[in-house]
Amino acid sequence: MTGHGSCLAVAEVSADKQMKLRYAGQCHLCARELPARAEAIYDRTTKTVRCVDCSPEPLPEATSVEASAEPIVVVEQAEGADEVQQVEVGSAGLSARREFERRHANREQRIRTKHRKVGGLMLALSDDPQSTTAWDKGALGEERLANGLNKRSSPSLRVLHDRRIPGTRANIDHIAATPSGIWVIDAKRYVGKRPTLRVEGGLFRPRTETLMVGGRKQNRLVDGMLKQLEVVRGVIGQAIPVTGVLCFIESDWPLIGGDFTTRGVRVTWPKRLYSRLEAEGSLTCDVETHHRNLAQALPSA
């Protein structure tokens, strides 16, 4: 992988270090391609690489994920290692936007083919169906959540976006590796609708939990998250805690309380999620190792 796009700034450490690259990269100053095993300068402050001959200068301000589809790349160095490794963080919402564009183009082609004379007018006077526009709205939600996650990225909070589940057409919106474990995050954009938990049964009949969003049953969202958790646990094993999160963006949350857990899956909003990810945990998880392993096992969609 090459180091195109923005690089995430992380906590400052010591001075630059000259070393050999484990994988091919790109100088962030002159854009020159750097082959694997080439000598390069690794800037541990910004987690970027540059040519040996290039003088350091300030990096331009990072472009937000919401404004660019370019994949973000971070450069990581294992403790005591002489080589660095680039990890493609991914571009949030990219697969959802591809699906929206595919459906939009197919509809346009069908209408123009069937109605050669008035197809253009029909398209101008009608909108895509909800089943198509939902992909566009979902992509925007993923991008906005990724923007917040990227701003909080640090050596103790590594993120991945839009990861493909091998052998399927499904994807995982976001993954966060923290000292307290791995978080699997599904971004949901239900504007103005309130997520609630309906609990039925108890003493004399089995207890059941139903996720309601805007008054409609949405247990399928929990079912989907549970499948994603199985995939991630298959990559990192059972020793590290893996938490599933349905993060609702622009929803109608109450002023007090509001978030809850159902079937082991947290249901919350972005700011509450950020505080949980940044909270110190009792477990010391090897963040960068799990981040790299997950990036390799679950490639960008």
Side-chain angles (χ1 to χ4, degrees):
M1 291 182 288
T2 56
H4 298 294
S6 304
C7 294
L8 296 179
V10 296
E12 293 188 5
V13 284
S14 57
D16 298 343
K17 182 177 181 180
Q18 182 169 336
M19 58 177 61
K20 291 183 179 180
L21 295 178
R22 180 176 299 176
Y23 297 100
Q26 185 182 57
C27 175
H28 79 273
L29 295 180
C30 69
R32 172 188 169 190
E33 296 296 331
L34 301 172
R37 308 298 299 174
E39 290 286 335
I41 303 298
Y42 171 48
D43 186 338
R44 285 181 285 194
T45 301
T46 60
K47 299 289 187 181
T48 57
V49 292
R50 67 176 188 271
C51 301
V52 175
D53 298 330
C54 281
S55 299
E57 46 186 67
L59 282 172
E61 183 177 349
T63 304
S64 73
V65 177
E66 188 173 341
S68 174
E70 288 293 322
I72 292 178
V73 174
V74 295
V75 182
E76 296 177 349
Q77 180 185 17
E79 187 71 24
D82 292 330
E83 296 178 328
V84 296
Q85 179 175 346
Q86 292 186 337
V87 178
E88 185 180 333
V89 172
S91 181
L94 189 58
S95 59
R97 288 219 177 276
R98 289 196 195 109
E99 182 63 19
F100 165 73
E101 291 168 0
R102 183 187 71 82
R103 292 181 179 226
H104 176 81
N106 287 346
R107 173 177 178 267
E108 181 174 351
Q109 183 178 14
R110 287 195 306 270
I111 292 177
R112 290 188 182 278
T113 300
K114 187 176 181 179
H115 308 279
R116 296 184 181 277
K117 293 184 178 180
V118 295
L121 178 62
M122 293 176 65
L123 289 169
L125 297 176
S126 64
D127 297 323
D128 286 320
Q130 190 276 337
S131 58
T132 296
T133 59
W135 290 95
D136 186 43
K137 294 177 181 177
L140 180 59
E142 291 181 41
E143 291 165 351
R144 289 180 177 174
L145 184 57
N147 216 15
L149 291 170
N150 289 337
K151 289 178 180 178
R152 291 161 176 81
S153 179
S154 70
S156 61
L157 201 173
R158 295 293 195 190
V159 295
L160 298 169
H161 307 298
D162 207 357
R163 313 313 289 191
R164 178 166 47 85
I165 299 176
T168 73
R169 296 183 62 184
N171 75 300
I172 297 175
D173 290 350
H174 315 280
I175 300 175
T178 73
S180 62
I182 307 300
W183 298 69
V184 182
I185 306 161
D186 200 353
K188 296 299 177 186
R189 188 167 177 251
Y190 287 72
V191 180
K193 297 181 180 180
R194 176 169 295 188
T196 58
L197 180 63
R198 176 189 292 176
V199 179
E200 299 174 313
L203 290 177
F204 303 105
R205 56 194 179 98
R207 173 190 168 97
T208 61
E209 296 183 351
T210 303
L211 172 62
M212 308 292 295
V213 183
R216 299 184 63 181
K217 295 180 179 180
Q218 297 290 354
N219 269 352
R220 61 182 182 83
L221 303 181
V222 182
D223 295 336
M225 172 52 65
L226 294 177
K227 293 179 180 178
Q228 295 179 30
L229 293 176
E230 290 180 7
V231 172
V232 172
R233 290 191 180 108
V235 175
I236 67 168
Q238 301 296 320
I240 303 299
V242 180
T243 303
V245 179
L246 294 175
C247 188
F248 285 82
I249 301 163
E250 299 180 59
S251 294
D252 176 28
W253 291 97
L255 295 177
I256 301 176
D259 66 336
F260 53 88
T261 299
T262 175
R263 295 157 62 191
V265 175
R266 293 184 182 274
V267 181
T268 190
W269 60 90
K271 286 187 177 180
R272 180 64 62 88
L273 171 64
Y274 301 149
S275 65
R276 292 188 185 279
L277 294 179
E278 294 175 320
E280 294 184 3
S282 57
L283 175 72
T284 302
C285 174
D286 189 343
V287 172
E288 291 198 349
T289 297
H290 289 305
H291 184 244
R292 289 193 298 270
N293 291 343
L294 286 164
Q296 291 172 0
L298 305 172
S300 295

